[in-house]
Amino acid sequence: MSLTLAARTRHMTSSAIREILKLTERPGVLSLAGGLPSPDSFPLDALAHASERVWRTQGAQAMQYANSEGLMPLREWIAQRVSLPQWTVRPEQVLVTTGSQQGLDLLGKVLLDPGCKLLVEQPTYLGALQAFSPYEPAFQAWRADEQGPDPLDLARMSGAYGASGQVGSDAIRAAYLVPSFQNPTGHAIGAPRRAEIAAELNAHHVTLIEDNPYGELWFDEPPPAPIAASAPHHTVYLGSLSKVLAPGLRIGYVVTPPDEAPGALDLRARLLQAKQASDLHTPGFNQRLVLQLLSDGFDLDAHVATVRQRYKAQRDAMAQALNHHLPDDCAWQVPQGGMFFWVQGPEGFDAGASLPAAVERGVAYVPGAAFYVEAPQQARRQMRLSFVTLSVEQIHEAVKRLAAHLGGEGRRAC
Ligand SMILES: Cc1ncc(COP(=O)(O)O)c(C=O)c1O
């Protein structure tokens, strides 16, 4: 008997980041590679207390199967937290998922056919490419300028101006973006560009998957409202508690369009079926733990404010270290939130090929090419640096090592 794997497995990729994380477990390596929130930011005491109460007061329910949509009180809380004066989200629109990563997979399952066009930013979140790839879409690079993804590309790719003149004949199935403090670039799309994108979604009935795990991690001012707020009928919005509370809870959510949006009820029903096939439900204990934490009076907003403060100090430290140590022919922008710097190394630098040598020097990063569907030449020079897992002192040392690796240590400093 021989074992034959499904053809779709050829489209499955392992996350370059996870492979790199293995390398960085070596003692002495200062890793700028991970995408992990700072463990110091987890409210462990409050979680321990809430956890004990869940066991004591609702242990059996927490250990029982739960419904697939998620616990209603949690859906209500999420709906309220996401809603804005201009965007009312109802609990029925919320599907609790096992991390927003599961939301991406479920959306891939219900929205994508082999060969259908999916518009993605370049570079984009690697885990989204990983989630969508087994469904074999034809990824299309979303053209961008300094403001972010080009809204006219949506119109162009919507089939509205197709060669045949037939709307929909060659249309993209959906578009995917991370609007605020993107992974990997740290870029946030401004309000005018969001409005333009929303206008094109509304005009051409394109579906947007808006993935927003970092929106609350702003440093100086909050990012503009999600695009979903201006195009609710055409946007499927994903959020997560991973970056504001703890990723180990695996609590994410999908907000589907309101009932009256064409196809919304069908999308919701299919997502639910996909979720049932995938894991039946997100662990009830974890959902109850979050609800208990909140009913114990845990102030999530105050907590997130402390996370922001911590990350901002680390962001500032990295900005200073990069400025001080990196060669002049490197380039980056200081992110206004989130967890990452996106750095372009000097001419001729190959971030992927030279990573093992960097690890030998005791520093690690994620090579930029990993975040592209088809990496352009300049991607070889790019890398993603996380600033949230190391202390301020370690950040300085890590960037010093990186500068030595790039061959430019001290050039800026002198
Ligand atoms: C842009 C983006 N989307 C989704 C996720 C998945 O987050 P989670 O599944 O923990 O909610 C991540 C994690 O790093 C991310 O960066």
Side-chain angles (χ1 to χ4, degrees):
M1 194 186 86
S2 69
L3 176 73
T4 307
L5 293 176
R8 90 178 60 82
T9 59
R10 289 199 293 274
H11 303 278
M12 292 178 176
T13 51
S14 49
S15 160
I17 298 176
R18 281 192 196 289
E19 296 303 314
I20 289 163
L21 281 178
K22 284 186 205 150
L23 278 178
T24 61
E25 278 159 17
R26 287 174 24 188
V29 174
L30 293 175
S31 179
L32 303 171
L36 313 181
S38 169
D40 297 338
S41 72
F42 304 155
L44 295 182
D45 286 343
L47 283 165
H49 186 75
S51 170
E52 209 260 325
R53 284 189 39 116
V54 172
W55 276 123
R56 227 167 357 98
T57 61
Q58 29 179 330
Q61 296 103 304
M63 290 296 103
Q64 188 53 279
Y65 282 119
N67 69 358
S68 305
E69 295 89 339
L71 300 182
M72 193 38 119
L74 186 60
R75 296 167 76 200
E76 284 167 353
W77 176 77
I78 291 168
Q80 204 178 24
R81 193 166 173 82
V82 172
S83 287
L84 295 168
Q86 70 276 35
W87 183 35
T88 304
V89 171
R90 297 174 49 76
E92 297 72 33
Q93 290 172 251
V94 177
L95 173 68
V96 176
T97 55
T98 306
S100 53
Q101 188 66 30
Q102 184 184 47
L104 293 169
D105 177 51
L106 300 181
L107 284 166
K109 212 178 223 177
V110 307
L111 288 177
L112 303 178
D113 286 311
C116 77
K117 292 183 177 171
L118 178 66
L119 199 57
V120 291
E121 295 170 288
Q122 291 291 279
T124 193
Y125 171 49
L126 180 57
L129 296 179
Q130 223 184 345
F132 297 143
S133 288
Y135 305 107
E136 302 176 48
F139 290 108
Q140 310 287 305
W142 196 338
R143 283 197 305 222
D145 56 26
E146 331 56 84
Q147 310 305 319
D150 182 352
L152 294 181
D153 235 17
L154 278 177
R156 197 173 58 81
M157 305 288 281
S158 71
Y161 309 129
S164 62
Q166 295 282 303
V167 172
S169 61
D170 195 28
I172 45 169
R173 182 67 57 86
Y176 167 76
L177 62 67
V178 182
S180 296
F181 321 123
Q182 198 233 30
N183 178 1
T185 62
H187 183 256
I189 304 172
R193 178 55 57 95
R194 289 182 195 224
E196 289 164 1
I197 292 174
E200 297 297 344
L201 296 173
N202 290 331
H204 301 291
H205 303 273
V206 175
T207 302
L208 177 71
I209 300 169
E210 183 176 25
D211 184 10
N212 189 24
Y214 300 105
E216 293 195 58
L217 299 182
W218 48 269
F219 301 144
D220 296 313
E221 56 182 74
I227 295 167
S230 308
H233 286 202
H234 301 290
T235 308
V236 187
Y237 178 86
L238 292 111
S240 173
L241 297 188
S242 290
K243 307 300 193 293
V244 293
L245 203 49
L249 291 167
R250 309 307 304 131
I251 303 279
Y253 49 90
V254 177
V255 176
T256 49
D259 293 12
E260 63 277 16
L265 296 178
D266 210 17
L267 171 68
R268 229 176 275 168
R270 297 299 180 198
L271 280 172
L272 192 61
Q273 288 166 344
K275 165 101 182 143
Q276 284 164 350
S278 170
D279 67 352
L280 295 181
H281 63 82
T282 295
F285 184 88
N286 299 16
Q287 297 185 59
R288 288 173 192 274
L289 178 54
V290 171
L291 287 168
Q292 184 67 53
L293 190 74
L294 297 167
S295 74
D296 283 351
F298 179 78
D299 186 342
L300 185 58
D301 289 333
H303 173 70
V304 176
T306 66
V307 178
R308 271 186 218 124
Q309 225 172 15
R310 170 191 297 272
Y311 286 3
K312 184 178 181 193
Q314 289 165 297
R315 187 276 314 259
D316 289 347
M318 185 167 277
Q320 204 188 22
L322 292 173
N323 216 18
H324 191 73
H325 295 294
L326 252 53
D328 283 337
D329 45 358
C330 294
W332 64 89
Q333 278 185 346
V334 179
Q336 301 305 304
M339 300 180 8
F340 307 111
F341 272 80
W342 183 244
V343 174
Q344 177 164 291
E347 190 74 52
F349 172 65
D350 188 329
S354 73
L355 180 59
V359 173
E360 282 304 312
R361 278 188 192 267
V363 65
Y365 52 79
V366 186
F371 301 94
Y372 288 87
V373 175
E374 274 179 47
Q377 190 65 18
Q378 106 231 23
R380 285 161 65 153
R381 293 168 62 180
Q382 295 170 332
M383 58 198 140
R384 191 193 74 179
L385 309 181
S386 161
F387 52 84
V388 303
T389 34
L390 297 182
S391 67
V392 164
E393 295 71 33
Q394 287 172 321
I395 287 171
H396 275 282
E397 178 56 30
V399 172
K400 228 166 131 176
R401 292 180 192 177
L402 181 65
H405 175 63
L406 298 176
E409 170 58 321
R411 277 207 258 155
R412 252 170 217 266
C414 50

